[in-house]
Amino acid sequence: MKKRSIVLLSNNAGLIAKSFAVYAKDLRLEIRTRSALNAILMFGITTLAVVSFSLGQSGLAPKLLSALFWIIMFFSAMSGLAQTFIREEETGTSLALKLTADPDAVYLGKFFFNLTLLSTMAIIITPLFFVFTDAPTGNMILFFLVLILGVLALCSATTIVAAIIAKASVKGALFAVLSFPILMTLLMTLVSAGEKIFDSQSFLEISSEIQFLVAYVVIMITASILLFKFVWQE
């Protein structure tokens, strides 16, 4: 029994180390090139500025504010998160990655890298969103809770889709097309939660949306880990 526990701990430590190695490799490359981060930030900031100035800075309905924020987050994710696997195929490093890391480690490393990218964008976009739109700030704790769950949900779904389309010839368009059916229900839930938050409703009134977001994250990460090895070894 003790030997089995030691083996399990050793395997888990190896998985964590390999996942971190994949994450660190992508992070170092992104720091040098800044291709995905620049694409995400430029799209998000430009879209936010154009739409907010077109609609005006005050008097926007809570539903419109919520839809604006999450549409920007969604399309910003579409513009940059697919690069994690596309870059491996274009540079020819995917074979080396397959030989040196387990599929679970590759998925977790890529997932946390996408999470870093989207979290960075959310940190920059969120204060700009409140400045440009004059959105109400009286329920910020709930807003940040939904934001964290929304970012996790977006990354959990888009990482596996990015792996699926990495070998396709029309990668950018296919990424958005395949992601939208998976993310449509998620976006509707996020918009609904945001509307209630901007309308100053309580935690109990958005508890169903939060429960859905937690379940979505758990199901998508679990399903992605189970399916990723078949996608990755194809």
Side-chain angles (χ1 to χ4, degrees):
M1 189 69 178
K2 186 179 291 185
K3 290 182 178 179
R4 185 179 299 176
S5 299
I6 293 173
V7 171
L8 288 174
L9 288 173
S10 177
N11 290 338
N12 289 335
L15 176 63
I16 293 171
K18 291 178 180 178
S19 301
F20 180 77
V22 174
Y23 169 79
K25 175 189 73 70
D26 285 344
L27 188 60
R28 285 194 299 269
L29 183 60
E30 183 60 30
I31 290 173
R32 287 200 300 267
T33 63
R34 290 192 281 276
S35 57
L37 184 60
N38 285 342
I40 290 174
L41 288 177
M42 286 301 296
F43 184 92
I45 293 173
T46 303
T47 305
L48 175 60
V50 171
V51 174
S52 62
F53 285 129
S54 299
L55 296 176
Q57 287 187 289
S58 60
L60 299 179
K63 189 171 186 177
L64 184 58
L65 287 170
S66 180
L68 171 61
F69 180 81
W70 286 110
I71 286 172
I72 291 171
M73 292 292 292
F74 171 76
F75 283 106
S76 297
M78 294 300 100
S79 67
L81 296 190
Q83 296 300 318
T84 51
F85 287 101
I86 293 175
R87 188 160 48 198
E88 302 288 355
E89 295 295 334
E90 291 179 346
T91 57
T93 57
S94 60
L95 180 59
L97 198 57
K98 290 176 182 178
L99 295 174
T100 56
D102 298 329
D104 291 347
V106 175
Y107 172 78
L108 290 174
K110 298 292 186 181
F111 169 77
F112 284 111
F113 175 71
N114 278 346
L115 186 61
T116 301
L117 285 180
L118 202 57
S119 298
T120 302
M121 193 205 76
I123 290 170
I124 296 172
I125 290 293
T126 301
L128 293 177
F129 171 79
F130 282 95
V131 170
F132 286 162
T133 62
D134 198 23
T137 58
N139 215 354
M140 294 304 294
I141 295 177
L142 283 179
F143 178 83
F144 284 121
L145 174 61
V146 171
L147 177 61
I148 291 169
L149 291 173
V151 168
L152 284 169
L154 284 171
C155 290
S156 64
T158 53
T159 302
I160 186 66
V161 175
I164 294 172
I165 61 97
K167 296 182 181 180
S169 57
V170 189
K171 298 178 179 64
L174 191 59
F175 182 60
V177 169
L178 289 181
S179 297
F180 186 72
I182 299 174
L183 296 174
M184 182 173 64
T185 306
L186 172 65
L187 286 173
M188 292 172 62
T189 304
L190 289 170
V191 170
S192 175
E195 178 186 3
K196 293 178 180 180
I197 289 170
F198 290 134
D199 201 27
S200 300
Q201 296 187 25
S202 66
F203 176 83
L204 290 177
E205 291 172 300
I206 66 168
S207 59
S208 59
E209 283 86 353
I210 292 175
Q211 289 172 7
F212 173 86
L213 293 174
V214 172
Y216 185 95
V217 171
V218 172
I219 291 171
M220 284 304 304
I221 292 178
T222 303
S224 296
I225 290 175
L226 293 174
L227 296 174
F228 180 74
K229 58 183 176 181
F230 301 105
V231 175
W232 183 237
Q233 294 172 352
E234 181 64 28

